[in-house]
């Protein structure tokens, strides 16, 4: 893995980017809804939908759980986002 830009303590704490084998929003699946893009929580590995999706499950998860960093779960995208610091890091 290439080096992650070191910008905050949350991103700094990530040594390996978590990826989920399951390519779907687990909360949308439960309610039968759809999503636009997928994000993976770097604390617990849960994959949830992005802010362009109707339910914005990834942001809601970050707020309710306090898990600070997500990665894009899209195969062609390689970046991390820190919610509390509003920082992006490409890797
Ligand atoms: Zn941070
Ligand atoms: Zn969702
Ligand atoms: Zn989480």
């Amino acid at each position: 893995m290439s080096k992650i830009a070191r910008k905050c303590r949350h991103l700094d704490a990530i040594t390996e980017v978590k990826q989920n084998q399951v390519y779907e929003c687990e909360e949308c699946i439960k309610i039968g809804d759809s999503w636009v893009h997928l994000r993976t929580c770097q604390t617990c590995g849960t994959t949830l939908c992005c802010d362009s999706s109707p339910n914005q499950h990834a942001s809601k998860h970050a707020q309710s759980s306090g898990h600070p960093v997500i990665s894009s779960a899209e195969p062609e995208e390689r970046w991390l986002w820190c919610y509390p610091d509003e920082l992006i890091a490409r890797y």
Side-chain angles (χ1 to χ4, degrees), residues 15 18 22 30-31 43 46 49-51 53 56 61-63 67 74 76 80-81:
T15 54
K18 283 189 175 66
V22 181
K30 287 179 195 166
I31 58 174
T43 304
T46 304
C49 55
C50 72
D51 285 353
S53 308
Q56 304 183 347
H61 172 77
Q63 279 171 15
H67 295 168
E74 301 301 319
E76 71 281 11
L80 301 163
W81 173 254

Side-chain angles (χ1 to χ4, degrees), residues 39-91:
R39 309 293 182 236
T40 299
C41 175
Q42 294 301 300
T43 304
C44 64
T46 304
T47 294
L48 296 163
C49 55
C50 72
D51 285 353
S52 302
S53 308
N55 296 299
Q56 304 183 347
H57 283 128
S59 286
K60 287 178 187 167
H61 172 77
Q63 279 171 15
S64 64
S65 67
H67 295 168
V69 178
I70 53 163
S71 68
S72 175
E74 301 301 319
E76 71 281 11
E77 296 179 1
R78 293 172 66 82
W79 52 260
L80 301 163
W81 173 254
C82 174
Y83 281 104
D85 294 302
E86 299 187 325
L87 281 173
I88 193 166
R90 297 179 190 281
Y91 67 93

